[in-house]
Amino acid sequence: VPKKCQKAREHFGTVRTQMESLKTKFPADQYYRFHEHWRFVLQRLVFLAAFVVYLESETLVTREAVAEILGIEADRERGFHLDIEDYLSGVLTLASELARLAVNSVTAGDYSRPLRISTFINELDSGFRLLNLKNDSLRKRYDGLKYDVKKIEEVVYDLSIRGLNKEATVGAGGEK
């Protein structure tokens, strides 16, 4: 995994070069006029950066760190920037991928990873519940997070029923 993450980080160098080129293609004060042209790509890049950081440290990457990885600004006033909605959409995509990773980890015999993913996703869900999301695409994506939480909970439940998470439960200070 560390080698793959390093290789992915090398590819972000190409992304930074492309973003530098994109910044010069339109007037700085017309960012939102053309935003729809790169919105999906930015959301996908946020997901990829967040996934790499999660695999490396099992933490959530900040918006500022993603902007730095991509070679763009975090602040709107400074020109071409990472919009907060694009960041949040990318993070929600991360949650969906982590739900898949939890299932695949069990298949590969790693029974502790789903427990760590569950903790991470539950904290992420708690954070999103604090937001006042309107009835837009971000709200619909957030609704999908509820299903990801449920899917991961089912994996953790199955592990506990089968007694496969004893070491992880004891190590986490829990009881069987």
Side-chain angles (χ1 to χ4, degrees), residues 68-130:
E68 184 179 323
I69 290 169
L70 300 180
I72 58 178
E73 301 295 331
D75 296 327
R76 178 180 178 163
E77 293 79 30
R78 299 177 83 185
F80 194 94
H81 65 281
L82 177 57
D83 190 64
I84 188 72
E85 288 186 18
D86 294 338
Y87 168 75
L88 293 174
S89 290
V91 168
L92 288 169
T93 304
L94 171 68
S96 296
E97 190 62 28
L98 289 178
R100 287 185 35 183
L101 179 60
V103 172
N104 290 334
S105 295
V106 171
T107 304
D110 183 357
Y111 303 128
S112 63
R113 185 180 298 267
L115 297 171
R116 296 191 312 267
I117 290 173
S118 176
T119 301
F120 179 82
I121 294 295
N122 283 325
E123 289 175 8
L124 191 65
D125 182 49
S126 296
F128 270 95
R129 275 191 261 134
L130 296 173

Side-chain angles (χ1 to χ4, degrees), residues 31-32 34-45 83 85-86 89 137:
Y31 176 86
Y32 285 105
F34 299 102
H35 183 238
E36 286 300 317
H37 294 289
W38 58 76
R39 166 177 265 174
F40 177 76
V41 173
L42 265 183
Q43 291 172 359
R44 194 72 168 158
L45 288 169
D83 190 64
E85 288 186 18
D86 294 338
S89 290
S137 64

Side-chain angles (χ1 to χ4, degrees), residues 128-143:
F128 270 95
R129 275 191 261 134
L130 296 173
L131 299 175
N132 183 18
L133 299 173
K134 305 294 182 220
N135 196 14
D136 61 357
S137 64
L138 191 57
R139 174 61 193 215
K140 291 173 188 166
R141 301 279 310 272
Y142 166 67
D143 289 342

